[in-house]
Amino acid sequence: MTTVGPRQRAARRGATWAAALSILVMLLCGLTLALAYANKARCAGGAIDESGRSLVFEERKDSDVCYSDIQFLWLGRDIDNHVFPYVDGAITEDGALTGGAVEYPVLSGVLMWAGAIGVDNDADFLWHSALLLAPFALLTAWMLARLAGPAALLWAIGPPLVFYAFHNWELPVVCTAVAAVYVMTMLTGLSVRTRGIIAAVLLALGFCLKLYPGIFVLPLAVFVLTEGAPRGRRPIGELDVAGAAQTLLAAMGTVAAVNLPFVLAGVEGWRASITFQQLRQADITTNSIWYWGHQLIFGRAAETTQTWHDAVAIASPALIFGGFALALWLGWRRWTPTSVYPWVGVSAAMLAAFMLFHKVHSPQYTLWIIPFLVLLEVPWSLVAAYLVADAAVGVGVFRYFAALGEGEGVELMEGIVQFGVWLRTALLITLFFLFLRARVRGPRVEPSTAPGRQLQPA
């Protein structure tokens, strides 16, 4: 008869608790998603015109803060005509997309098309899209609970999920990023190299949804290079160069495999999504530091000239790539005889740099950073401050648009939006450095001399 010792009993209790918590977090996330849909559905349904547009959408979208890109893009991208994306698409000289081209990478375009199957109005499109997207949020909640314990409630019941779950097509891309961390942290029965290749494929799929997870492949490759071990565990000359290369190649191969059919079927429509983003300017709809910074420097009445837009087109990517390089370098310095390379923290810092300096900062981007606030031990006071800043922008900007449309005074709402933008800016700068030093929440693996083992899930 096998005797079960105290350690085994404790391990079983821990596993039972973790499983129960994961289920609870998923259930709570489901309730939040129902609330999120109800929030956006206030702009849908009722009387519908011949194009399939809910009449209430234009009446309420800004004043009631129930606008969503999902419902808005029912028209203007041939989604209502059930045109398969990209194949016959193009972009006009003035930047208008035609023939099924959309402004997002190909997998997001396919999700948009799939959400419209069998529907003929924007209300049903919103509902079908919500059904399509919700499982990704639930899976993300489950993985975060397994990785970080109760901190996952920030994702599952936090205000950002109510505001943005069905604002755009963000949930699948967030799921791929979290899944990559889950693979690297939890599947410890596999070697670091194997996990790295699987995670790279997941991040590449995320790139084909909304680009940003692709930047995490670089720190992931460095983690594989160091074999997930502290510095000095193996000689520098024995670093896993082949594994790092395979990680990079797995990501590039996945991106090529996903995009190649669309390139062959209609290269002009595929390229139109890239051209659209290149042409987009930092205007009143972007909520970035570039638009509000222009007003701060030159005054509210000053027009944004083409010279300013041209300067932003150079400065924005230069600062973004500078931020990436700084994060990678500081992460390398954090690789010490007692610490593994902090690839999750470096990834989070790179995302903070991207969100800070990109010429577009849509409100729903908050969903991108929330998992890192769950996974990394940053002060909860800063998390609360970020939620305040996000609410100021996410709610304030639509009330600001409503005031502009009604010809009312905008000073109060503009002040709230600017408060949110600049508080968020300060927090992103702070988080950039904190992410690089933060410990990872959740279980830690003890040091091992075996290749592919890690000191902690970094």
Side-chain angles (χ1 to χ4, degrees):
M1 181 176 180
T2 302
T3 302
V4 178
R7 297 182 105 181
Q8 289 82 1
R9 287 195 295 269
R12 289 180 180 179
R13 286 196 299 270
T16 301
W17 158 249
L21 177 65
S22 299
I23 294 172
L24 175 61
V25 169
M26 283 186 67
L27 290 173
L28 292 173
C29 183
L31 294 176
T32 304
L33 291 171
L35 183 59
Y37 174 75
N39 177 45
K40 296 302 185 183
R42 291 180 297 129
C43 273
I48 295 176
D49 66 19
E50 63 278 2
S51 68
R53 169 71 77 208
S54 300
L55 298 182
V56 73
F57 179 72
E58 290 297 333
E59 298 172 6
R60 294 182 179 175
K61 63 183 177 66
D62 293 329
S63 60
D64 288 9
V65 195
C66 54
Y67 169 89
S68 73
D69 288 334
I70 294 176
Q71 192 177 356
F72 176 74
L73 290 177
W74 167 253
L75 300 177
R77 301 293 185 270
D78 272 342
I79 294 173
D80 57 320
N81 295 321
H82 306 283
V83 174
F84 193 79
Y86 309 105
V87 176
D88 298 311
I91 186 168
T92 64
E93 291 184 359
D94 59 355
L97 294 168
T98 63
V102 298
E103 56 266 51
Y104 306 122
V106 294
L107 291 185
S108 285
V110 171
L111 284 174
M112 295 165 72
W113 170 79
I117 294 174
V119 304
D120 60 7
N121 61 76
D122 62 352
D124 289 341
F125 179 52
L126 177 64
W127 170 238
H128 281 217
S129 296
L131 292 177
L132 190 66
L133 297 173
F136 293 100
L138 295 172
L139 179 56
T140 300
W142 182 85
M143 290 187 292
L144 288 174
R146 301 292 293 182
L147 288 165
L153 291 171
L154 175 63
W155 168 264
I157 62 174
L161 199 62
V162 177
F163 291 155
Y164 312 123
F166 307 121
H167 187 93
N168 198 287
W169 291 266
E170 308 301 329
L171 296 178
V173 67
V174 174
C175 187
T176 62
V178 174
V181 179
Y182 183 87
V183 166
M184 294 303 297
T185 305
M186 304 299 285
L187 303 188
T188 53
L190 303 174
S191 68
V192 170
R193 181 190 293 190
T194 301
R195 282 180 277 156
I197 292 170
I198 296 171
V201 170
L202 290 167
L203 293 175
L205 292 174
F207 179 86
C208 296
L209 284 160
K210 283 293 184 74
L211 298 185
Y212 83 89
I215 66 179
F216 306 155
V217 174
L218 288 175
L220 173 64
V222 177
F223 184 78
V224 174
L225 176 71
T226 63
E227 296 189 310
R231 185 188 290 270
R233 187 64 58 82
R234 296 173 68 86
I236 291 293
E238 295 183 15
L239 293 178
D240 191 5
V241 176
Q246 289 172 14
T247 300
L248 295 172
L249 289 173
M252 291 186 288
T254 301
V255 171
V258 171
N259 281 272
L260 185 59
F262 293 90
V263 174
L264 295 177
V267 65
E268 187 176 357
W270 173 82
R271 189 171 50 222
S273 63
I274 302 171
T275 304
F276 181 92
Q277 295 298 340
Q278 290 174 334
L279 294 176
R280 191 169 183 186
Q281 297 181 337
D283 57 24
I284 196 172
T285 67
T286 62
N287 301 300
S288 68
I289 61 171
W290 301 105
Y291 175 77
W292 293 108
H294 182 275
Q295 294 211 8
L296 188 67
I297 297 170
F298 300 106
R300 289 176 52 197
E303 292 291 330
T304 49
T305 63
Q306 188 58 47
T307 301
W308 172 263
H309 290 305
D310 292 341
V312 170
I314 296 172
S316 173
L319 288 170
I320 288 172
F321 286 117
F324 291 173
L326 179 60
L328 288 165
W329 178 69
L330 291 175
W332 184 259
R333 293 187 63 184
R334 295 288 296 166
W335 183 45
T336 69
T338 58
S339 299
V340 300
Y341 181 78
W343 86 274
V344 175
V346 173
S347 298
M350 293 172 75
L351 177 60
F354 179 85
M355 293 172 66
L356 177 64
F357 294 121
H358 196 259
K359 59 185 176 181
V360 178
H361 194 138
S362 297
Q364 71 271 14
Y365 291 2
T366 297
L367 291 179
W368 299 0
I369 203 169
I370 289 294
F372 288 112
L373 298 177
V374 172
L375 293 168
L376 297 167
E377 292 181 353
V378 298
W380 287 110
S381 58
L382 291 183
V383 175
Y386 199 93
L387 295 180
V388 170
D390 174 66
V393 176
V395 175
V397 72
F398 293 107
R399 296 293 300 158
Y400 174 58
F401 291 156
L404 284 174
E406 295 294 330
E408 301 173 354
V410 298
E411 289 77 10
L412 174 61
M413 297 317 302
E414 181 179 312
I416 291 174
V417 173
Q418 292 217 42
F419 164 78
V421 167
W422 297 118
L423 176 59
R424 184 179 65 192
T425 299
L427 289 169
L428 285 173
I429 295 171
T430 303
L431 288 169
F432 177 91
F433 294 100
L434 284 180
F435 282 149
L436 291 164
R437 302 185 64 85
R439 291 170 63 86
V440 179
R441 302 187 200 273
R444 290 181 170 79
V445 180
E446 294 301 320
S448 169
T449 57
R453 300 298 288 179
Q454 58 188 54
L455 177 65
Q456 63 180 21

